[in-house]
Amino acid sequence: MRSIVLLSGGIDPLSGRPAPPQGEIAAIGLARSIGGAAEGLHAGGPSPALRLAAAHGLARVDCLDGGGNAVEALATYLATYLGADPPDLVLAGRQARGGEDSGMLPYLLAERLGWPLLAGVIAVGAAADGWLSVMIGLPQGARQEARVRLPCILVAHDAAPAPPFIFDRARRAELRVVPVAGPAPVAAEGAAEGDDRPYRARPRLIGASARTGAGQVLDHPDIAEAATVLRDHLRALGVLGPSRGASPDA
Amino acid sequence: MRWLVLAEMACAGAAVALVWMVLLARWLKGRPVGRSWLAGLVLVPRRYLVDVHHVVARRPRNARMHALAAGGLLGGSLALLLGVLPGMPPVPGFIIRIVAIVFFVPGAWGALIDRARRRPHTPSQLSGGAFVWLPVALLAWCVGNVVVALSVSDTGLHAAGLAGLALALAGGVALLVAVGRGPMRHGLAGIAWLTGHTRPGRFARAGLLRPFDTALWPLDLVHERLGVLTPRDFTRPELASFDACIQCGRCEEACPAFAAGQRLNPKALIQGLSGAMRERPAPYAGSPAPHAPAMPGGGGMDAEIVGQVLAPDTLWACTTCRACVEECPMLIEHVDAVIALRRGQTLMKGAVPAGAEQVLRASREQAEPGGRALDARTDGIAALDVPVLAPGEETDILLWLGEGAYDLRYGRSLRALVTLMRKAGLRFATLGADEVDCGDVARRLGDEATFQALARDAIGVLGTRRFGRIVTADPHAFHVLKNEYPALGGTWVVEHHTTLLDELVRDGRLVLAQRDGPAVAYHDPCYLGRYNGVIDAPRRLLDAACRTRVEVERHGMRSMCCGGGGGSPASDVDAVTRIPDLRMEQVRQSGASIVAVACPGCTAMLEGVTGERPEVKDVAELVLEAVVP
């Protein structure tokens, strides 16, 4: 399986020094966990952060020169330059650092390519019949299995296992400048456009529940019974989503 | 008879030469060093008689034992060989054989002293195994040859002479086994190691009995293999140095990590490396690294050392305090071996402990091992309005703040230092937010790439300012700036703050009044004392500031580490007890109620000791208390 990891010219927000963001390191980790060839891809010139990212497990990073805005450049590269041998997977971090940093790029690229996208991926399983099984990381350590059709874009969870930094790889990594047809890169216009909406007051669930005064006191309950009561109460408050099919405790 | 003895001696000599060839062939598989072996060989007698003796003689009984056993063995054998040479006239031959006896008898005495060291039990720092029967072999060789020397004549064979010859032969064969695979190897390897020693700067020279050569040498980052992964990656003299270890266990007694029950025993480490060169190493009969998992050992010149011979924790437990190096009578460089192995693990494999990985990443990305903002470094002394030196500006003293400046506790020490410098009317400034980390932690953790990047930054920043000298309160920064930056192109006058304060007191620019108070003990920071020999200045200051000063048993050049060096706190290796707890107990034993420190690392480690304990104060704080306004 061939994977491509999208890399940004990461800048450390505190020091301003080159530093790949955690999410991109995690994406490299996912790409390596699948096995097969993994390469880096960056829309822009070779920056020192790319070499630091490659230290986590990439032998080569292609740096795109030209091609319009980042999404167009990446899409053109994937369609034209990899046309004969297209990647099965494109992986990205949650948010770039040192560019526009909107976190929108993978979504815009998925829209442009017409590929499915899954975010918050914490582990990748096996591929079968053109489908890939992945594990999504949810808040508070919850995990959810999912399947996605290949080829697809996966956005790595920041907490996905990060491969170690190896200086030997950094110094051997090849940063290749690839000219891409199209206008010179301009500041991506409209990439992070959104609608201005007036402030909307949202219901405060915890405050609201405290005011209701309703509740149920259980004295030394059975564990299963207590769990059921708690779950139903949280569902009633809308904190937990409705039951989805057969759950292990049902 | 004469011919038999001649054959015995010739065979022994030839066998020793053969064994030496085998050993040499193995060491020559290491990396070459660009130095002449011949020039080194000329220096061996002096290095042996001055530098090795300087260490051995710290334990007079051992020195006596060694002089008797080694001198008796070599002198006696040589004299006996001369005495039976064909063509030797009878009378001088007789005299020479008497000389041989005069050597062999003390040799036997030395063997008996050696035997007595392991009676009734082998002490824990000494090795058993081959070491137990070695004195017996030595005794057999000496006694047998005394009988032979007495009974050599030109008239046929004697029963007594033959018995002596048989005894000597048995002892000789055992000694030869010990030369090839056992303890006696240290003699041959020691000569090779003293010839090609990797730190020629540490040997005595005119006017300097103990020069310091403690800086790590820079690694050329374009080498195909960085650091050491297999025995072949060590330099040739280093390979000889591992074979030169005589397992005396002095390093083990001095090692703070061993004392705290971490998985490091410097003696077992060196023996492991010696065994790593061989497919089937001789069994090791000393105490192992505490709680270390059993390793297969051996593996040969091309097998990975970590995992095969050493547990990874063994590598990361070292605090790089050099206590083992200070104690080693064979002048082995344990810390260099540890750093070389760490470089291999860090640069080639990225296999570092989780805590150390964070520290290295922060050093790389934030130029600060703690990941803190560089402009927050001066927060601790913000109220004192110390000027910041901009590029192109000039001052007398540049105050290098170091990593300790972020620590609230150490901020007190720095404020005391700044206040004292103000009182003395000095003109000084800091680099403000332009001061990056000096790279000490990264370098000790084996990340030479990050160290060199930080050093380039720091040298660049320092190069744009003009100043008379650099003063720092951090011995680690002091060592790096003073000794390790010159190899990378940055040479300045660098002083530790105790040296500066000592100078101010001696010049009368600071006047101290001795204060009555509880007894004060000074804890020597490794990177100030053992690495740089600054042990008198802080003591002079304390004597001027405090009425009662006591010494901890381990002090000066043989002081014990606080546990804070070498990135050890970041690596966080499992231990039975904490190193600073052990050190604080030693301070308590000295009867001191205040322990004077001169290093942010020591301050943090010793202040971390819980329960009732002596108070921890920086030398600058004690001097400030005693200064006459």
Side-chain angles (χ1 to χ4, degrees):
Chain A
M1 185 130 69
R2 181 160 183 206
S3 346
I4 293 227
V5 182
L6 303 184
L7 300 174
S8 60
I11 295 291
D12 184 80
L14 187 70
S15 67
R17 287 163 184 263
Q22 184 63 32
E24 289 172 16
I25 299 173
I28 296 172
L30 291 181
R32 289 176 62 82
S33 74
I34 302 165
E39 285 159 34
L41 181 59
H42 171 64
S47 89
L50 300 176
R51 202 167 277 284
L52 295 182
H56 292 278
L58 298 174
R60 199 180 75 198
V61 179
D62 280 353
C63 306
L64 304 185
D65 179 18
N69 74 37
V71 176
E72 280 308 315
L74 293 171
T76 314
Y77 172 85
L78 290 172
T80 320
Y81 295 84
L82 300 179
D85 184 16
D88 306 284
L89 263 184
V90 171
L91 296 114
R94 187 175 55 81
Q95 190 177 22
R97 253 176 6 194
E100 198 171 57
D101 303 3
S102 65
M104 285 295 288
L105 184 126
Y107 296 90
L108 294 169
L109 185 63
E111 188 182 41
R112 171 76 174 66
L113 295 172
W115 287 9
L117 178 147
L118 268 182
V121 177
I122 210 151
V124 179
D129 304 329
W131 287 78
L132 180 70
S133 67
V134 297
M135 189 68 82
I136 307 284
L138 298 172
Q140 300 187 358
R143 297 284 183 270
Q144 186 183 4
E145 274 187 54
R147 271 171 15 113
V148 62
R149 185 173 42 78
L150 292 170
C152 66
I153 297 185
L154 299 181
V155 177
H157 196 291
D158 278 357
F165 176 93
I166 302 180
F167 173 75
D168 187 44
R169 281 208 205 109
R171 62 175 183 159
R172 288 179 203 278
E174 181 196 355
L175 302 189
R176 195 175 65 164
V177 177
V178 180
V180 176
V186 287
E189 80 265 4
E193 254 179 27
D195 302 330
D196 278 341
R197 282 188 294 189
Y199 174 74
R200 174 170 60 93
R202 289 167 179 80
R204 299 179 64 171
L205 284 176
I206 293 171
S209 68
R211 271 196 301 277
T212 58
Q216 193 180 345
V217 178
L218 301 174
D219 187 16
H220 293 91
D222 173 55
I223 291 172
E225 181 201 351
T228 316
V229 170
L230 272 173
R231 188 190 58 193
D232 293 346
H233 181 63
L234 292 175
R235 279 207 181 117
L237 288 175
V239 178
L240 270 187
S243 166
R244 281 185 308 265
S247 57
D249 57 308
Chain B
M1 187 74 204
R2 182 186 282 266
W3 290 104
L4 273 179
V5 178
L6 191 62
E8 174 206 13
M9 289 295 166
C11 284
V16 168
L18 188 73
V19 168
W20 205 350
M21 289 299 148
V22 171
L23 288 172
L24 261 178
R26 192 177 287 125
W27 302 327
L28 286 174
K29 289 178 186 161
R31 280 186 191 168
V33 285
R35 270 198 304 275
S36 154
W37 282 68
L38 204 62
L41 202 59
V42 175
L43 295 169
V44 169
R46 183 182 157 78
R47 287 177 173 182
Y48 177 75
L49 291 172
V50 178
D51 299 279
V52 172
H53 181 73
H54 175 82
V55 185
V56 178
R58 287 179 201 158
R59 301 193 183 183
R61 196 172 89 127
N62 297 4
R64 234 173 4 249
M65 178 275 289
H66 192 259
L68 290 172
L73 174 79
L74 292 177
S77 307
L78 201 66
L80 189 57
L81 179 67
L82 283 176
V84 296
L85 276 183
M88 180 69 72
V91 175
F94 175 74
I95 292 172
I96 292 172
R97 288 199 297 277
I98 295 297
V99 169
I101 293 168
V102 169
F103 272 106
F104 276 131
V105 170
W109 181 238
L112 287 173
I113 300 180
D114 191 23
R115 184 84 188 96
R117 293 169 75 198
R118 289 179 174 76
R119 281 289 176 92
H121 303 291
T122 305
S124 67
Q125 82 277 9
L126 294 179
S127 293
F131 283 87
V132 175
W133 56 256
L134 177 70
V136 180
L138 196 58
L139 197 64
W141 175 257
C142 289
V143 172
N145 277 323
V146 166
V147 176
V148 168
L150 286 173
S151 55
V152 167
S153 68
D154 296 320
T155 56
L157 303 171
H158 282 255
L162 282 179
L165 194 64
L167 186 62
L169 266 179
V173 169
L175 282 177
L176 281 173
V177 172
V179 168
R181 280 179 63 79
M184 292 294 282
R185 189 174 64 205
H186 82 283
L188 303 181
I191 294 171
W193 169 229
L194 288 180
T195 302
H197 200 288
T198 47
R199 289 193 178 276
R202 66 176 280 196
F203 291 99
R205 49 180 185 262
L208 270 178
L209 184 62
R210 281 292 314 267
F212 289 87
D213 181 2
T214 51
L216 294 177
W217 45 83
L219 195 60
D220 191 352
L221 293 173
V222 300
H223 268 306
E224 175 64 22
R225 280 167 84 107
L226 303 171
V228 167
L229 292 175
T230 66
R232 204 181 278 281
D233 299 329
F234 277 112
T235 62
R236 291 165 177 180
E238 279 176 307
L239 291 179
S241 83
F242 304 144
D243 278 350
C245 171
I246 184 57
Q247 307 188 33
C248 66
R250 296 190 193 190
C251 51
E252 178 183 317
E253 291 175 301
C255 178
F258 179 79
Q262 295 184 0
R263 293 172 178 175
L264 169 65
N265 175 351
K267 176 171 118 174
L269 170 88
I270 296 298
Q271 281 305 310
L273 292 175
S274 168
M277 284 185 260
R278 296 159 167 85
E279 304 270 337
R280 283 187 310 281
Y284 169 65
S287 43
H291 310 287
M295 290 283 143
M301 294 302 288
D302 293 306
E304 294 244 347
I305 294 171
V306 175
Q308 175 75 21
V309 176
L310 298 178
D313 277 357
T314 298
L315 215 52
W316 303 105
C318 177
T319 66
T320 68
C321 74
R322 278 182 80 83
C324 48
V325 183
E326 179 67 23
E327 295 301 323
C328 182
M330 288 309 307
L331 313 179
I332 296 171
E333 292 286 344
H334 313 61
V335 175
D336 287 346
V338 166
I339 297 292
L341 285 160
R342 283 186 183 179
R343 283 175 173 173
Q345 292 299 302
T346 305
L347 298 172
M348 299 297 290
K349 314 199 102 184
V352 293
E357 196 172 349
Q358 271 179 28
V359 164
L360 292 179
R361 183 167 178 190
S363 298
R364 204 163 54 230
E365 298 181 352
Q366 278 107 27
E368 208 292 302
R372 295 159 290 204
L374 295 182
D375 57 7
R377 196 189 298 270
T378 48
D379 287 1
I381 55 166
L384 296 173
D385 270 336
V386 179
V388 171
L389 201 63
E393 287 185 351
E394 189 264 338
T395 188
D396 293 339
I397 293 177
L398 181 78
L399 186 61
W400 183 276
L401 294 172
E403 203 193 342
Y406 290 100
D407 184 56
L408 289 179
R409 164 66 187 89
Y410 204 69
R412 290 216 303 270
S413 312
L414 275 178
R415 287 196 292 278
L417 172 63
V418 169
T419 310
L420 285 168
M421 290 168 80
R422 280 264 160 78
K423 275 188 196 295
L426 300 179
R427 196 162 69 101
F428 60 97
T430 70
L431 287 173
D434 283 351
E435 181 185 321
V436 296
D437 185 63
C438 65
D440 168 71
V441 182
R443 186 166 231 200
R444 309 305 140 186
L445 286 171
D447 192 346
E448 185 69 5
T450 301
F451 166 74
Q452 289 188 13
L454 287 170
R456 263 197 310 277
D457 278 9
I459 291 170
V461 166
L462 289 168
T464 54
R465 275 85 169 165
R466 285 170 294 133
F467 47 84
R469 55 180 156 168
I470 301 173
V471 168
T472 178
D474 183 344
H476 297 263
F478 166 68
H479 174 66
V480 170
L481 291 170
K482 177 172 182 274
N483 301 323
E484 300 194 337
Y485 279 6
L488 298 166
T491 309
W492 293 279
V493 180
V494 189
E495 279 177 0
H496 187 248
H497 73 300
T498 53
T499 310
L500 173 77
L501 293 176
D502 182 46
E503 181 192 312
L504 294 175
V505 170
R506 278 195 292 179
D507 290 356
R509 297 174 80 175
L510 283 179
V511 182
L512 303 188
Q514 261 191 349
R515 280 165 59 94
D516 276 324
V520 179
Y522 176 63
H523 163 79
D524 290 88
C526 308
Y527 278 71
L528 193 61
R530 246 188 315 272
Y531 272 73
N532 286 288
V534 181
I535 51 179
D536 296 329
R539 287 183 166 77
R540 272 196 298 272
L541 277 173
L542 289 175
D543 286 338
C546 315
R547 198 166 307 280
T548 345
R549 183 173 70 80
V550 294
E551 287 287 9
V552 191
E553 195 194 338
R554 287 182 63 180
H555 63 271
M557 298 297 289
R558 305 176 79 179
S559 180
M560 181 172 156
C561 177
C562 69
S568 189
S571 302
D572 198 20
V573 174
D574 284 350
V576 174
T577 177
R578 297 176 70 247
I579 297 173
D581 288 359
L582 298 175
R583 183 58 176 163
M584 195 53 103
E585 185 52 37
Q586 294 170 3
V587 174
R588 217 179 264 132
Q589 297 287 325
S590 75
S593 300
I594 295 177
V595 49
V597 289
C599 167
C602 303
T603 311
M605 296 305 282
L606 293 176
E607 281 243 312
V609 176
T610 55
E612 209 157 293
R613 56 159 168 79
E615 200 182 348
V616 179
K617 281 193 169 180
D618 193 88
V619 173
E621 292 177 282
L622 290 166
V623 169
L624 183 62
E625 285 172 13
V627 80
V628 177

